[in-house]
Amino acid sequence: MTATRVLVLNSGSSSLKYQLLDMARPSPTTLNGAETDSSRLASGIVERIGEAGGVADHSAALKQVADELSSQGLGLDSPELAAVGHRVVHGGTRFTEPTLITDEVVSEIEKLVPLAPLHNPANVTGIKVARELRPDLPQVAVFDTAFHSGMPEAAARYAIDRATADRYGVRRYGFHGTSHAYVSRATAALLGKEPSEVNVIVLHLGNGASASAVRGGVCVDTSMGLTPLEGLVMGTRSGDIDPAVVFHLARVAGLGVDDIDNLLNKRSGLVGLCGDNDMREIGRRIAEDDADAQLAFDVYVHRLRKYVGAYSAVLGRVDAIAFTAGVGENSAAVREAALIGLEPLGIEIDAVRNAVRGSAARLVSTRTSRVAVAVVPTDEELEIAQQAYSLVRP
């Protein structure tokens, strides 16, 4: 029997998301109607790990996942399981492709904790627990930063002292890489072309949000930087900001580094502007003439338009703009507001097509638009599974 199943694990500080996929079955196609996905055998989440009412730790959480899968006849001891694929947020410059996990790899990921202190420790914990449960099974790390690792130095470098930057790893890494990789390829497929033939601006708009410029399947620029704080306006993150704001708040407001970190990451963005980070609620408030909600929406969209314009210049030729993730896939208002008036750039959005909701990839541009505008549901778990399986399949 050939092992074709991959268990994908996304370990957070207090949660464990999982999906079990069979790579021998048809993957979901986002090109036809309402999609069905026979490759996805099971999925779920264990929450409140280490908290009251939750399981004690990640070991208990993964054992709960194993029990849930076993109850469905999909146990972790199945000979059909080919690998476990782990999402790891930060790979630094060391990891630029899916990597078979060894003790040395775990140690190297731990060394990257200063670059992702909120994420990499939880990712490592999930890896260690999974290896304890199935030490005989290949385990693969798939890195959020990997897709962006091919950026030219002109895009990756910050204009600060090079010796300091190199010593402390200060450069643009980018995140949401599995989503940008999946969506850029799916967009090319939607256009009936190979990824190498297409230049795409991908807008991953969720609570966290990022943009990327993808030329011929290769990322050449992205909005997030050393951390996920830079770039677009997000649910609770400020995105781009004058670095001197940090010094100003330290001097004038007496805020410490941790206070400012908390402000910019957790009390800024949409929630900082209007008190809500849910675009649906913001839309409801706008309909009731709420000025704060309108301002938050306008700031959010203004930043999006700036990146679309900037990445149009970076790419030179843009074949498609792809919206994905929760806001990108579901907010027709955001898509329209971000692109309306950009006809001189060859971008024409069709209001009727844009208003139609659906679960499959689709075009929302006019039929005469030089640049295709697409809504492409992302599938990061499938991307992780595919990358993991490509590394271990016989």
Short mmCIF file of all heavy atoms in Angstrom, two decimals, residues 13 43 89 208 251 299 308 360 377:
data_model
loop_
_atom_site.label_atom_id
_atom_site.label_comp_id
_atom_site.label_asym_id
_atom_site.label_seq_id
_atom_site.Cartn_x
_atom_site.Cartn_y
_atom_site.Cartn_z
N SER A 13 0.19 29.32 19.98
CA SER A 13 0.54 29.34 21.40
C SER A 13 -0.51 28.67 22.26
O SER A 13 -0.20 28.05 23.28
CB SER A 13 0.75 30.78 21.86
OG SER A 13 -0.42 31.55 21.64
N SER A 43 -10.60 17.64 9.40
CA SER A 43 -10.01 18.90 9.84
C SER A 43 -10.61 19.28 11.18
O SER A 43 -11.69 18.82 11.55
CB SER A 43 -10.25 20.01 8.81
OG SER A 43 -11.64 20.28 8.69
N VAL A 89 6.43 29.63 11.00
CA VAL A 89 6.27 31.00 10.54
C VAL A 89 7.57 31.57 9.98
O VAL A 89 7.59 32.14 8.89
CB VAL A 89 5.72 31.89 11.67
CG1 VAL A 89 5.86 33.37 11.32
CG2 VAL A 89 4.26 31.54 11.93
N GLY A 208 -4.74 39.54 9.53
CA GLY A 208 -3.41 39.92 9.08
C GLY A 208 -3.50 40.11 7.58
O GLY A 208 -4.24 39.38 6.92
N ARG A 251 9.54 59.23 24.17
CA ARG A 251 9.97 60.49 24.79
C ARG A 251 8.80 61.29 25.37
O ARG A 251 8.88 61.82 26.46
CB ARG A 251 10.71 61.34 23.76
CG ARG A 251 12.03 60.75 23.30
CD ARG A 251 12.58 61.52 22.11
NE ARG A 251 13.82 60.94 21.62
CZ ARG A 251 14.18 60.90 20.34
NH1 ARG A 251 13.37 61.41 19.41
NH2 ARG A 251 15.32 60.37 19.97
N VAL A 299 -8.85 54.63 5.30
CA VAL A 299 -7.42 54.46 5.54
C VAL A 299 -6.96 53.09 5.04
O VAL A 299 -5.91 52.95 4.39
CB VAL A 299 -7.08 54.64 7.04
CG1 VAL A 299 -5.63 54.28 7.32
CG2 VAL A 299 -7.37 56.07 7.49
N VAL A 308 -1.03 48.57 -4.67
CA VAL A 308 -1.35 48.15 -6.04
C VAL A 308 -0.57 49.00 -7.04
O VAL A 308 0.03 48.48 -8.00
CB VAL A 308 -2.87 48.26 -6.31
CG1 VAL A 308 -3.17 48.08 -7.80
CG2 VAL A 308 -3.63 47.21 -5.50
N ALA A 360 -15.69 29.48 -5.32
CA ALA A 360 -14.69 29.11 -6.31
C ALA A 360 -13.96 30.33 -6.83
O ALA A 360 -14.45 31.46 -6.73
CB ALA A 360 -15.36 28.37 -7.47
N PRO A 377 -9.95 31.85 -3.55
CA PRO A 377 -9.87 31.32 -2.18
C PRO A 377 -8.52 30.66 -1.93
O PRO A 377 -8.04 29.87 -2.74
CB PRO A 377 -11.01 30.29 -2.14
CG PRO A 377 -11.99 30.79 -3.17
CD PRO A 377 -11.13 31.34 -4.27
#
